[in-house]
Amino acid sequence: MAHLDAYNRPISYLRISVTDRCNLRCVYCMPPEGVPWRPHDQILSYEEIEPVVRAAAELGVSKVRLTGGEPLVRPGIVDLVRMLAGVPGVDDLAMTTNGILLGRYAADLAAAGLQRVNVSLDTLRPERFRRITARGELSEVWAGIEAARRAGLAPIKINTVVIRGLNDDEPVDFARRTLTESWHVRFIELMPLGVMGPMDDEWHDRVVTAPVIRAQIEATLGALEPAKASVGGGPARYYRLPGAMGTVGFITPISEHFCYQCNRLRLTADGQLRLCLLSDVEIDLRTSLRQGAGVAEVKALLLEGIQGKPMQHHLSDRQRPEKRVMSEIGG
Ligand code: SAM
Ligand code: SF4
């Protein structure tokens, strides 16, 4: 049974950023020159991550997601998947990736025990993809998605951050793809985190809210019908175009926050337990782990985190987290 926090929310989900490094430079995630990477000795080793997951599972966390930075650039990532797939109590092991290296790793990840992937994809246009990511090739992501499908990493969810002036003319194209592909496309509202490159000061004007996206889609493709979530139990609300194979979902941290149902904790690449994506409150696990803390001690720290989890974020009061960039936390 998952532990309840101070606001009666069952905490059942741990997201782990396995690296702050990335092979892309998405304009809304980091500046084009990148951010200074943390030295290797600050990053948790796999042997340090495993007891954290074991402790979390003993406290009722059943769902674990690996993210980054880009998780597939970390050497040995398949070994970490294998280690975590063997932790009793973890029954949903997933990854969020930009998909560039998925063609190479999908089959090995599935064989090691990964169950599914979310692929982040903000545009269907090759030229625009290069512009948004500063260095990526869209064809590699297609190959990655296809490899994931063949490997049985299903269902495939596509995460699309919609940003005014960047890709807000594409939601209809994404939604149209769900007619013939069993993709679950989720449109995500832009959030302010640390340094966001060129759109740092203007992020609020760049947010395209879910109602605006929904209206665009319905004006062209017809009414969306409510649909059931596939798997995962996250904050997205799902819909389906009549007869479509896939679904369209909305994740609305800005227009309609879902903090009241938040079930998650986050582990940053450098070993800090982050209690809310949009608040800088953290508990240092790395120091304790390196001083010899075992599963029992880590459990006590996790419980402290669960009890201290903030009720909600405070973006509407103009308080935004400043301490970290998104790539250190993992979304
Ligand atoms: N590199 C992997 C990827 O892109 O999927 C995993 C890490 S990335 C930080 C996780 C997710 O956060 C991606 O879907 C990305 O689009 C999203 N993201 C990054 N910066 C964001 C922001 N400022 N607002 C909303 N989502 C953001
Ligand atoms: Fe890298 Fe993901 Fe951030 Fe893009 S969103 S720069 S792929 S960490």
Side-chain angles (χ1 to χ4, degrees):
M1 273 290 283
H3 258 271
L4 298 182
D5 75 356
Y7 305 98
N8 268 332
R9 297 172 294 194
I11 305 303
S12 55
Y13 181 16
L14 178 65
R15 297 177 63 102
I16 304 172
S17 172
V18 296
T19 176
D20 58 337
R21 296 172 193 230
C22 189
N23 46 359
L24 300 182
R25 299 282 181 276
C26 301
V27 282
Y28 54 85
C29 185
M30 43 172 108
E33 67 279 12
V35 286
W37 306 135
R38 287 189 182 267
H40 286 296
D41 65 352
Q42 288 186 13
I43 303 296
L44 287 194
S45 68
Y46 294 157
E47 291 67 28
E48 289 167 333
I49 292 174
E50 202 239 17
V52 177
V53 173
R54 227 168 247 285
E58 288 186 15
L59 291 173
V61 167
S62 55
K63 183 178 164 188
V64 173
R65 174 172 299 276
L66 303 180
T67 170
E70 173 48 40
L72 295 179
V73 303
R74 180 149 177 194
I77 187 69
V78 174
D79 300 329
L80 178 66
V81 167
R82 196 173 299 110
M83 284 162 86
L84 301 188
V87 173
V90 174
D91 56 29
D92 183 9
L93 183 58
M95 178 180 284
T96 297
T97 168
N98 60 33
I100 294 282
L101 294 172
L102 203 47
R104 192 183 308 170
Y105 288 116
D108 290 347
L109 290 167
L114 192 75
Q115 283 154 292
R116 56 202 181 85
V117 284
N118 290 5
V119 179
S120 303
L121 180 62
D122 302 321
T123 177
L124 301 169
R125 306 179 191 181
E127 182 44 43
R128 184 176 281 177
F129 186 81
R130 265 176 233 127
R131 210 156 6 104
I132 293 178
T133 65
R135 49 184 63 186
E137 283 303 325
L138 183 57
S139 56
E140 295 176 304
V141 183
W142 291 138
I145 291 174
E146 178 51 24
R149 195 190 58 73
R150 274 201 311 271
L153 292 170
I156 294 179
K157 295 184 182 172
I158 306 285
N159 288 348
T160 305
V161 183
V162 184
I163 300 174
R164 179 155 294 120
L166 197 72
N167 61 349
D168 55 335
D169 50 355
E170 289 199 63
V172 172
D173 295 342
F174 274 98
R176 195 178 279 118
R177 294 294 283 251
T178 68
L179 290 167
T180 50
E181 311 257 9
S182 50
W183 289 1
H184 301 285
V185 175
R186 291 118 48 86
F187 298 109
I188 303 174
E189 293 171 349
L190 181 69
M191 290 173 270
L193 256 135
V195 195
M196 297 163 73
M199 46 192 72
D200 209 45
D201 292 335
E202 45 177 84
W203 74 270
H204 207 270
D205 300 332
R206 296 285 205 137
V207 173
V208 185
T209 61
V212 171
I213 299 170
R214 182 171 178 175
Q216 267 185 25
I217 294 171
E218 293 193 318
T220 313
L221 299 173
L224 288 165
E225 302 164 346
K228 275 215 336 251
S230 45
V231 285
R237 267 170 297 125
Y238 288 96
Y239 301 86
R240 190 185 293 276
L241 288 165
M245 292 178 70
T247 60
V248 169
F250 298 96
I251 301 182
T252 55
I254 306 298
S255 66
E256 196 183 333
H257 76 73
F258 35 78
C259 307
Y260 65 91
Q261 63 180 54
C262 185
N263 60 354
R264 42 190 79 183
L265 292 173
R266 292 175 168 81
L267 182 63
T268 65
D270 60 334
Q272 309 301 303
L273 185 71
R274 192 165 170 109
L275 310 183
C276 165
L277 172 63
L278 294 166
S279 148
D280 282 326
V281 183
E282 295 177 352
I283 293 178
D284 180 9
L285 298 190
R286 187 184 68 201
T287 303
S288 303
L289 285 162
R290 294 191 177 170
Q291 286 169 350
V295 171
E297 289 92 337
V298 175
K299 258 168 89 173
L301 291 169
L302 293 180
L303 273 175
E304 193 186 312
I306 290 172
Q307 287 315 313
K309 197 172 152 56
M311 185 172 74
Q312 63 179 80
H313 69 65
H314 290 284
L315 293 181
S316 55
D317 310 329
R318 303 246 159 225
Q319 287 177 35
R320 54 176 280 187
E322 302 285 352
K323 194 164 145 187
R324 290 178 184 275
V325 290
M326 188 66 123
S327 53
E328 282 184 308
I329 313 169

